[in-house]
Amino acid sequence: MATATQPVTDADLFSMPRDGRKYELVDGEIRVSPAGFRHGAVSVALTLKLGGFVLERRLGRVLDSSTGYRMPAGNVRSPDVSFVGASRLPAGELPTGFAEFLPDLAVEILSPGDGPREVLDKVGEYLSGGVRLVWVIDPETATAAVFRSLTDVRRVDRDGVLDGDDVVPGFTCPLSELLA
């Protein structure tokens, strides 16, 4: 006899343990993504560089992977690093729950267990929801993919530079500095 399961709620997602894993609500279920040491090091390096740049110029906010964004289809995604421009931030207090808007830049840093299909699904969901720029950084191959759309993709190798383009104007960062 089959048993009915209750739908997963925001409260369920908020109640997940703070154990270093990233939890997301995808297609009605909670998915967990273990990160690992190298993943964390790349994430912090990018957060420090991008965060300092954005803060100094008052461009908006840089957020970490504990920040959930409600996608148009109802999923809650948590990029490893994200940027929201100042003009798009709500007036007054910042949201205490999941953001009901999407970031301008979403960054995913691959972990050994990340499957290509899962990552492309995430990138596609970001882009179709209105995220203007997506970076997927692969520490294992020392490369990154820069997405403006699913067909406008630029590859960056270890000696290349990540560029904020018109999303984070003036920001550049050699990929090698994040992978060191």
Side-chain angles (χ1 to χ4, degrees):
M1 178 174 161
T3 59
T5 58
Q6 297 295 322
V8 176
T9 66
D10 287 0
D12 296 327
L13 192 54
F14 274 119
S15 71
M16 299 308 295
R18 302 285 181 226
D19 58 6
R21 295 183 175 127
K22 180 168 76 170
Y23 295 91
E24 295 179 315
L25 177 59
V26 180
D27 299 330
E29 64 183 41
I30 292 178
R31 294 196 185 160
V32 61
S33 207
F37 191 90
R38 181 169 36 183
H39 179 282
V42 172
S43 179
V44 168
L46 178 58
T47 301
L48 288 170
K49 287 184 179 295
L50 181 61
F53 182 89
V54 166
L55 182 64
E56 182 178 308
R57 289 159 183 81
R58 300 176 190 249
L59 297 176
R61 295 284 182 136
V62 173
L63 301 120
D64 70 2
S65 65
S66 64
T67 306
Y69 295 92
R70 173 114 26 233
M71 305 302 293
N75 290 342
V76 175
R77 295 287 192 178
S78 299
D80 292 309
V81 179
S82 58
F83 163 76
V84 179
S87 66
R88 296 192 50 248
L89 289 168
E93 299 221 5
L94 295 175
T96 56
F98 300 124
E100 298 293 335
F101 53 88
L102 297 182
D104 294 292
L105 167 66
V107 181
E108 290 294 334
I109 301 161
L110 300 183
S111 295
D114 287 335
R117 175 62 191 205
E118 178 181 281
V119 172
L120 278 177
D121 284 350
K122 204 179 279 197
V123 169
E125 191 170 12
Y126 289 144
L127 293 169
S128 68
V131 176
R132 297 169 49 207
L133 185 63
V134 179
W135 296 341
V136 177
I137 300 172
D138 187 346
E140 184 71 25
T141 63
T143 61
V146 176
F147 292 84
R148 283 295 196 153
S149 72
L150 288 176
T151 58
D152 182 359
V153 184
R154 181 175 57 90
R155 182 182 159 96
V156 176
D157 64 21
R158 173 183 280 283
D159 299 321
V161 174
L162 290 170
D163 187 324
D165 294 326
D166 63 332
V167 177
V168 189
F171 179 78
T172 60
C173 178
L175 183 58
S176 62
E177 288 183 12
L178 302 178
L179 302 173

